[in-house]
Amino acid sequence: MGSLGAMEKGDTRSAADYLTRQATATEEPAERMRLFEALGDMAVMMLHDEARARTYYDAAVNAAQPLEARHLPLLEKLLERCDLAGDHLGAARAAELMASFGGDTGGRVARYVSAARAYAEGGDADRALSAALRALELDANQLEAADLASARPRRSWPRRSHSALRRGSASSLPDSALPSTSIASSAWPSATWRAEARSAASPGY
């Protein structure tokens, strides 16, 4: 029985199963993404199955080639499902992807801070630090980002802060990407954070 026949009989779960097989067998990325996103919507609105919806939205994001700003609504759906499920790492990845697609600076900073917080809650300290540094690159006075970054013990920092800023190591950060003196003296453990951030990427550290 196809999806239409199943839907006509009111068997939405069988229809979803049929469409899942169809989406999985589809090789064309755009169609694969469209089907999985539609399945996610079906899981939310008709099946009331949050776990299944999260799996479908994640598959849709993975099918998007390349992932672009036009996919932000899809990422928003995935982020919401991850938040509801308490999937901190999934939520962090979605928020970080959303931040990377531009938009206003304030919105990007908020997304990176959200990603850093979720990574920290999920136990991925390296990615939490990287996302916090991304936020500080955009707004050096972002106190929560500064707090999240400073929560990482200095000696546990990686030699390269897990693709810190992904365009270069912490050693190459411009002063504008680092906390201001006022923040360094108030929100940070010491005023020597600039040197510590740069030394985190040095081979001898």
Side-chain angles (χ1 to χ4, degrees):
M1 181 187 297
S3 62
L4 182 58
M7 289 290 288
E8 289 174 346
K9 291 180 178 293
D11 189 352
T12 54
R13 192 164 294 275
S14 291
D17 290 341
Y18 176 84
L19 288 173
T20 299
R21 291 192 295 271
Q22 185 178 347
T24 302
T26 300
E27 296 183 1
E28 204 283 312
E31 179 64 9
R32 186 183 179 91
M33 186 208 74
R34 186 191 69 80
L35 286 171
F36 275 123
E37 183 174 10
L39 280 162
D41 294 342
M42 180 186 292
V44 172
M45 295 182 286
M46 301 178 73
L47 299 177
H48 308 292
D49 188 333
E50 292 291 335
R52 192 162 180 166
R54 181 160 52 101
T55 298
Y56 285 141
Y57 287 139
D58 188 57
V61 169
N62 289 331
Q65 298 180 10
L67 196 61
E68 299 172 333
R70 62 191 176 93
H71 298 123
L72 283 171
L74 170 60
L75 286 166
E76 186 71 52
K77 293 175 185 178
L78 177 60
L79 176 60
E80 184 177 353
R81 304 277 83 72
C82 289
D83 280 339
L84 288 172
D87 178 4
H88 300 304
L89 296 181
R93 285 190 291 269
E96 194 169 27
L97 283 170
M98 294 176 75
S100 69
F101 288 121
D104 65 281
T105 301
R108 294 185 66 203
V109 169
R111 288 298 185 192
Y112 278 127
V113 170
S114 177
R117 187 189 313 116
Y119 276 132
E121 291 172 348
D124 192 333
D126 285 353
R127 287 186 182 274
L129 174 61
S130 178
L133 289 174
R134 283 278 191 176
L136 289 169
E137 183 184 34
L138 295 169
D139 181 1
N141 295 312
Q142 221 296 329
L143 291 176
E144 186 175 0
D147 184 60
L148 285 162
S150 66
R152 183 81 185 275
R154 179 186 173 192
R155 291 197 172 276
S156 71
W157 283 24
R159 292 179 180 177
R160 288 190 177 276
S161 59
H162 192 80
S163 67
L165 305 178
R166 281 195 286 233
R167 287 174 296 182
S169 66
S171 62
S172 64
L173 281 174
D175 284 346
S176 62
L178 300 169
S180 63
T181 303
S182 61
I183 289 180
S185 63
S186 59
W188 290 71
S190 73
T192 60
W193 185 85
R194 286 181 176 79
E196 294 178 3
R198 291 190 171 98
S199 70
S202 66
Y205 190 76

